[in-house]
Amino acid sequence: QVQLVESGGGLVQTGGSLRLSCVASGTIISIGQMDWYRQAPGEQRELVARSFGDTTNYANSVKGRFTASRDSAKDTYYLQMNSLKPEDTAVYYCNGDILAKLGDSYRSIDVRGPGTQVTVSS
């Protein structure tokens, strides 16, 4: 069983900061690409940041305000969000491409966490 679980969401005022965490657990061999997505009510899902190795690409809407990082030793990924705006309000998800040992075999699987709510008040 492999899973991702996000935490760190909450209610913050405009201009505030939050740090989201995404913890991976299970029979993980390695984690490749890790994405952060968000989805606001009635809106399409938006890719916020995509990390592979030491490279991260950000959506224009968050560039310069959000920073993705990882602690490989803890299989934990972070999304530091600064200068938050009301339009950043959404459920944030991490989604990883994970090589896992499942039974007697090794498989590359796509895993998404349940999400964490971020609300930015004006």
Side-chain angles (χ1 to χ4, degrees), residues 4 12 26 32 36 45-47 49 55-56 75-76 79 86 93 96 98 113:
L4 298 175
V12 65
W36 286 93
R45 191 177 67 164
E46 178 186 16
L47 176 62
T55 300
T56 300
D75 281 338
T76 300
L79 186 67
Y93 305 87
I98 297 175

Side-chain angles (χ1 to χ4, degrees), residues 78-90:
Y78 303 98
L79 186 67
Q80 178 67 43
M81 306 186 298
N82 299 328
S83 302
L84 283 162
K85 307 174 182 179
E87 51 264 43
D88 294 319
T89 296

Side-chain angles (χ1 to χ4, degrees), residues 57-76:
N57 292 303
Y58 299 92
N60 287 334
S61 57
V62 307
K63 202 172 292 185
R65 300 188 297 121
F66 289 12
T67 303
S69 62
R70 68 180 180 191
D71 184 336
S72 298
K74 298 180 180 179
D75 281 338
T76 300

Side-chain angles (χ1 to χ4, degrees), residues 23-37:
V23 179
S25 62
T27 52
I28 296 169
I29 305 302
S30 64
I31 300 175
Q33 181 173 295
M34 179 63 73
D35 297 334
W36 286 93
Y37 286 91

